[in-house]
Amino acid sequence: MQAQQEKKEDISKLESRYQFCGHPLKITRDFSSNLGISAIIWEAGLVLCRYFEQEKISFSGKKVIELGSGTGIVGILAILLGGDVTLTDQPIVLNQIQFNITNNIPASIQQRSTISALCWGENQDQFPTDYDFILGSDIVYSTRDFPALIKTLQHLSNQHTVIYICSKMRESMGAIDFHEKLLPQHFNSEVVHRTANKEINVYKVTKKDANAVDKPLM
């Protein structure tokens, strides 16, 4: 009975290994908890990790929050690159994030990680507004969530916050409209990296001055 249970647990979890910025990562995806898309290591997350590696980005001493952390791979790398990082997602996803933090972050620096439930447009006011960096990979995929995502980004950021959003440019899911029409109403945005096939973009985003905002978010 015990052997069967262990086998079932092995089947329900899948580990993938990566290396970025000299840090080996083992990322486990939990398929036993109905996590759906949150149990996927999205290509955009890997592209963002590679971008940090290519640009030699350091988060040392910086206050960072990741939206839609999923497996936690991007936020975990940000911790290893020196950041004090809050990884956020829906409540059901937090155990998966915690598992991967425990397996990838040395005990001596785990105090630099925080895991919190964040539902865009609902409880962002419970979080501070002084983050140095906001990270998000493949979080632009549902047009119905775009207003809530914008409100969350507005609350969490200030004039000095740098936001990195890595998106697969799925026209059918509104990614192009979000980045080319909606986001620029409230933020300055530029493409700082594009994959060779032009399917995935990394955007560097900063908050517009209040007097420069085109129009209020409805």
Side-chain angles (χ1 to χ4, degrees):
M1 188 69 170
Q2 183 178 359
Q4 289 179 346
Q5 184 178 359
E6 290 175 352
K7 184 177 181 181
K8 183 177 180 181
E9 289 175 354
D10 289 340
I11 292 173
S12 68
K13 292 185 178 181
L14 182 63
E15 182 183 284
S16 299
R17 294 177 179 265
Y18 303 93
Q19 182 162 313
F20 297 105
C21 309
H23 297 286
L25 302 177
K26 5 178 234 186
I27 302 300
T28 298
R29 293 171 277 167
D30 186 355
F31 295 101
S32 65
S33 304
N34 299 317
L35 297 186
I37 61 174
S38 297
I40 297 173
I41 300 173
W42 294 99
E43 187 180 359
L46 301 179
V47 169
L48 189 54
C49 288
R50 291 190 198 105
Y51 175 76
F52 294 160
E53 182 174 56
Q54 291 167 5
E55 297 301 314
K56 297 180 172 59
I57 289 177
S58 170
F59 297 102
S60 182
K62 301 301 183 180
K63 188 172 182 178
V64 184
I65 187 168
E66 183 187 14
L67 305 183
S69 296
T71 62
I73 185 170
V74 174
I76 287 169
L77 181 60
I79 296 168
L80 294 171
L81 293 177
D84 294 289
V85 184
T86 299
L87 296 89
T88 69
D89 212 308
Q90 299 290 328
I92 193 175
V93 187
L94 303 187
N95 285 340
Q96 175 177 258
I97 298 171
Q98 181 62 69
F99 186 89
N100 282 321
I101 285 178
T102 300
N103 281 353
N104 288 276
I105 303 298
S108 59
I109 62 170
Q110 283 191 16
Q111 76 276 6
R112 291 203 275 104
S113 67
T114 302
I115 304 170
S116 298
L118 173 54
C119 299
W120 306 339
E122 296 180 17
N123 70 323
Q124 68 272 4
D125 291 348
Q126 298 174 11
F127 292 78
T129 60
D130 59 346
Y131 292 101
D132 298 300
F133 291 93
I134 300 173
L135 311 177
S137 57
D138 229 336
I139 58 175
V140 180
Y141 58 83
S142 174
T143 55
R144 69 180 181 181
D145 293 333
F146 290 172
L149 175 55
I150 291 289
K151 286 180 180 179
T152 300
L153 290 171
Q154 286 178 313
H155 171 78
L156 297 174
S157 62
N158 57 66
Q159 300 300 322
H160 304 290
T161 305
V162 175
I163 306 169
Y164 286 113
I165 301 178
C166 188
S167 295
K168 188 163 187 175
M169 304 308 292
R170 306 180 186 91
E171 185 173 5
S172 62
M173 294 185 178
I176 294 176
D177 283 345
F178 178 86
H179 282 289
E180 295 185 359
K181 296 179 181 178
L182 182 57
L183 191 65
Q185 293 176 20
H186 309 277
F187 294 88
N188 304 303
S189 179
E190 62 173 323
V191 177
V192 293
H193 177 73
R194 179 176 282 124
T195 56
N197 58 15
K198 298 184 179 180
E199 288 187 354
I200 298 176
N201 293 345
V202 176
Y203 292 85
K204 184 177 182 180
V205 180
T206 55
K207 200 170 192 176
K208 280 186 176 181
D209 183 275
N211 297 323
V213 175
D214 296 340
K215 60 183 179 180
L217 182 67
M218 300 300 292

